[in-house]
Every structure is written in C-alpha cells, then in structure tokens.
Amino acid sequence: MSQDKTQLARITLREIMLPLVEPFRTATGTVDSRRVILLELSDADGATVWSECVAEAVPSYTAETVDGAWQALTDWIIPLVLDKNFAHPTDVHAALVSWVPDHPMARASVEMGTWALAAARRQESLARFLARSSDLGAPPRKSVATGIALGLTSNGTDIVNQARLATAEGYRRIKLKISPQSDLGPIREVCAQVGAKAALSVDANGSFSTDDMSMLKEIDAMGLSMIEQPLEAKDFEGHAELQRSLQTPICLDESIESDATAERMVRLHSGRIVNMKAGRVGGFTEAVAIHDRCRLAEIPLWCGGMLESGIGRAYNVALASLPNFTLPGDISPSGRYWARDIVTEPWTMDSEGMVMVPVERAGIGVDIDRAFVDELVVRESTFSAS
Ligand code: MG
C-alpha cells in the first residue's frame, strides 16, 4: 500500500467566521456566523488538501470547542504527525488516539485530511477510496438522500410550516428536536401533515430518563422512523432495556464514540440505527470500522451534520456514499446554512432530496474559494517540517 503512504510536510490552520444565512439561537445567545477551523495539509510531494474541524464555538453537543481544538492541534496533534511517515491513514489514527484521546474532532480534522491526500495521490475520489477500505468492497453510491433537522426553539405552528416547506423542497427525512418538556401536539401535527411524504424522527440528545416512560410510550405510538438518543450517552444497558419495550427503532448518536462503543451497542442490542458523525469518532478509520460492524449486525447508518462548510460537507458526502448508509443523512445543500459557501460550486440538492457524490473527481471533489476564505480569516498559523 505504498501509494497510500503519507508524510505531512506542512499544515496551515485558519479560523474563519463564516456568515450564516440566518441567525442561530443557542443556549448562550444568538450567533450570526459559524466559527470554523480549516486545515490546509501538504505532503512531502507537494500535494495539498483542505479539511475542517467540526468542533463548535461552545461546548454543547460535546465537550470539544473551537478554542480547545485549536490548542490541541497546535500543541499536540500537529507535532505528533508532522514529518512522520505513515503507511496508511489508519496509522495516523493509531498514532493520535493513544496520545490525544479527548479531542476526537481535532484528531479527525487531520486524520480525514490524510485520507483525502491518499485518495488524491491515487487520483481517485475520496468516496471510492473509502469504499475500497470498507470490508464490504461495494462501490460508493452516486447520490445520497438528505434529511433535515428542525430546532426546539420554533413554536408549534412554525415547526409544522417548516416541515411542510422541507418536504416540498425534497427532504426525505424530517427530524424534530425533543425533550421531556416538549409539547407532543406539534409533533403529532407534523406526522399528520407530512408523514406520508417523508420519514419522521425525533432527537432527544440524551434528555430522557426511565422516569419519562409514559411520554416515551406516547412517542412510540406515533410510528416514527426512529427515536434518536433518548437516554444519556453512556447508558447502553438502559437503551437496551428501553428498546425492548418500544416498537420504534432507537438510534444512537452521542453514545457512539468509537468502534468499541459500537461493539457494545451491537452486543447489548442498545439500538437499531446509528447516526454517524466522523468527527465524533476521531475520523474515518473508526467510521469505516463502525460502518462494517453495523452492516454485519444489520444496523443501518445515516450521516449526521455539524453545521459544516462546503469542505466538511464533502467529507460527509463521501462517507455517506458507503453502502450501509441507507438512511437519509443531514447533508443539506450549502444554501440552507450559508449566504455564500467557501467552495467554488456550492452543494445542491435535487427535488428528490438527493445530493450528488463527486465519485469521478480526485480527492474531496470541491475547489476552495481561496479569495473568500482569505476575507473570512481571523487567525492563521503554519507548521512546517523542520
Ligand atoms: Mg443527535
């Protein structure tokens, strides 16, 4: 596999402030742009790829943050990989995971970049290279189905209208955020209005406990396509017990941090679906291993989203083209989030909710809008092999 060897000669970190198409309400206030860390990685032969760190500005979905990831990359991760010889991107993962275990998203931004570099070196698409690395050996999908997540903050009428609009645009799955405090009325209304046009699901982000069984039973009776992460991330036994009492498939998201956690899910029957976010599992080495393990266990996957720019989206699209990603992923077109994306051709979705996979283009399949990136940069740091 000598053509997959990687020797990183230079890595440039850039933080950009990417303007959102509409302000986004979070627990700590309203933001009108996304802080994104971009990486430009060059190998010893001069090949260059871009990647993205999906850590968010504040700790919410995970403990990682933009500032923490920047420090982890600068102080530990980049020094561990720069100028070292790796036979395959999986070796980059192995080198990083033991030394920097608590920063999977920061690690993933480098590790996934080395997969893209190896694909570019082979003159093939990242999607094909990933498919080749899967035990399944099947070619990548040429297009991937797209779903949408609607937030907790909107009122009931808004949610029903947004769901109707989303199905009209072609989205194949609509996910509603939910908590034990949620009013189930609007969710029932969404089911009634658009349930025939799109798969419907709810995502609890771990907010329920076994005290909430009566509400969980009510949700179960709605016939949704899945209930995502009802209980806290580490409670595999609780999810297994809950799954036994529900008809609706449980989907695990935050629980799946590694292939070892996927093994636990499979062994204990803690759920029937996985929401995969490559950043959360430290990159593609673990993501492909989880994909293959779940396929054997007949557990389908879908690709989650972390408000990625067009660069991170390219990695998600490649991952979602693997054969066991059979459910619609959070792979919205660029225009849902960004007034202007940082890739020269924004991602688009057709009226059937499908996003094309650039299977015939070498590497990640998008070109970077360098001039626009330069306008957005708020800090930059370059590391070179000595
Ligand atoms: Mg989730």
Side-chain angles (χ1 to χ4, degrees):
M1 299 245 270
S2 62
Q3 64 182 335
D4 299 332
K5 77 175 171 60
T6 300
Q7 189 179 0
L8 291 165
R10 196 177 70 245
I11 299 177
T12 298
L13 294 183
R14 293 181 181 86
E15 181 185 336
I16 61 166
M17 298 278 280
L18 185 55
L20 290 156
V21 74
E22 60 184 27
F24 197 75
R25 227 178 307 164
T26 71
T28 49
T30 303
V31 292
D32 58 11
S33 59
R34 163 82 153 109
R35 293 176 64 192
V36 185
I37 300 175
L38 299 177
L39 289 79
E40 184 181 3
L41 307 103
S42 301
D43 71 11
D45 298 328
T48 294
V49 297
W50 288 64
S51 69
E52 171 172 345
C53 178
V54 297
E56 296 180 309
V58 294
S60 55
Y61 173 77
T62 71
E64 276 189 285
T65 61
V66 166
D67 293 316
W70 184 280
Q71 190 201 357
L73 283 160
T74 299
D75 292 353
W76 310 309
I77 293 170
I78 291 175
L80 276 167
V81 296
L82 207 59
D83 211 23
K84 305 273 182 6
N85 267 297
F86 296 103
H88 190 272
T90 52
D91 298 320
V92 177
H93 170 71
L96 290 176
V97 71
S98 57
W99 290 99
V100 200
D102 292 338
H103 294 274
M105 293 175 181
R107 280 191 274 117
S109 64
V110 169
E111 193 255 18
M112 289 159 71
T114 61
W115 283 86
L117 266 177
R121 184 185 287 276
R122 283 169 169 266
Q123 284 295 309
E124 72 178 351
S125 61
L126 180 58
R128 282 202 201 285
F129 183 51
L130 282 177
R132 194 194 304 287
S133 306
S134 158
D135 289 341
L136 269 66
R141 224 180 283 284
K142 296 218 163 60
S143 62
V144 292
T146 301
I148 194 170
L150 302 178
L152 279 169
T153 46
S154 313
N155 71 38
T157 320
D158 270 357
I159 283 188
V160 175
N161 286 338
Q162 285 177 38
R164 228 193 264 125
L165 193 63
T167 50
E169 286 177 61
Y171 283 103
R172 307 279 282 259
R173 185 263 297 138
I174 291 174
K175 173 170 113 174
L176 305 168
K177 291 284 186 174
I178 195 172
S179 78
Q181 290 74 44
S182 296
D183 176 5
L184 294 182
I187 300 176
R188 282 202 186 84
E189 191 56 26
V190 171
C191 286
Q193 299 259 350
V194 302
K197 294 181 189 136
L200 301 178
S201 67
V202 289
D203 183 2
N205 290 104
S207 59
F208 284 84
S209 75
T210 44
D211 296 342
D212 303 308
M213 272 316 290
S214 64
M215 186 169 174
L216 286 163
K217 286 284 190 187
E218 271 190 79
I219 296 166
D220 192 36
M222 294 179 186
L224 300 171
S225 63
M226 70 189 86
I227 301 176
E228 185 175 338
Q229 199 67 49
L231 308 177
E232 65 173 337
K234 299 210 180 309
D235 193 1
F236 288 84
E237 286 83 1
H239 278 110
E241 200 180 323
L242 181 60
Q243 181 67 90
R244 281 193 290 277
S245 69
L246 299 180
Q247 298 286 319
T248 311
I250 288 175
C251 169
L252 294 187
D253 175 5
E254 287 92 331
S255 293
I256 306 301
E257 297 176 339
S258 61
D259 186 36
T261 52
E263 188 277 333
R264 200 161 174 218
M265 173 192 181
V266 169
R267 177 163 40 86
L268 297 175
H269 303 284
S270 306
R272 298 182 192 147
I273 297 171
V274 165
N275 169 355
M276 167 62 68
K277 294 180 179 123
R280 193 190 57 230
V281 302
F284 283 158
T285 303
E286 293 284 304
V288 173
I290 293 165
H291 168 270
D292 290 358
R293 177 184 298 285
C294 287
R295 177 67 187 82
L296 283 176
E298 296 182 357
I299 292 174
L301 297 91
W302 56 277
C303 183
M306 292 286 296
L307 212 62
E308 287 90 351
S309 79
I311 296 173
R313 206 156 299 272
Y315 286 84
N316 285 350
V317 167
L319 182 64
S321 73
L322 287 175
N324 195 31
F325 280 82
T326 56
L327 301 170
D330 283 340
I331 303 172
S332 291
S334 302
R336 169 157 162 77
Y337 303 114
W338 317 118
R340 176 177 168 189
D341 205 340
I342 54 171
V343 293
T344 54
E345 286 172 69
W347 291 94
T348 55
M349 177 179 85
D350 70 16
S351 59
E352 304 293 309
M354 303 302 285
V355 170
M356 293 300 140
V357 182
V359 278
E360 304 306 334
R361 290 193 58 183
I364 65 172
V366 289
D367 293 320
I368 316 304
D369 186 343
R370 286 298 306 267
F372 189 43
V373 168
D374 287 345
E375 276 178 40
L376 301 173
V377 169
V378 293
R379 58 174 159 169
E380 180 171 332
S381 192
T382 294
F383 306 82
S384 297
S386 47

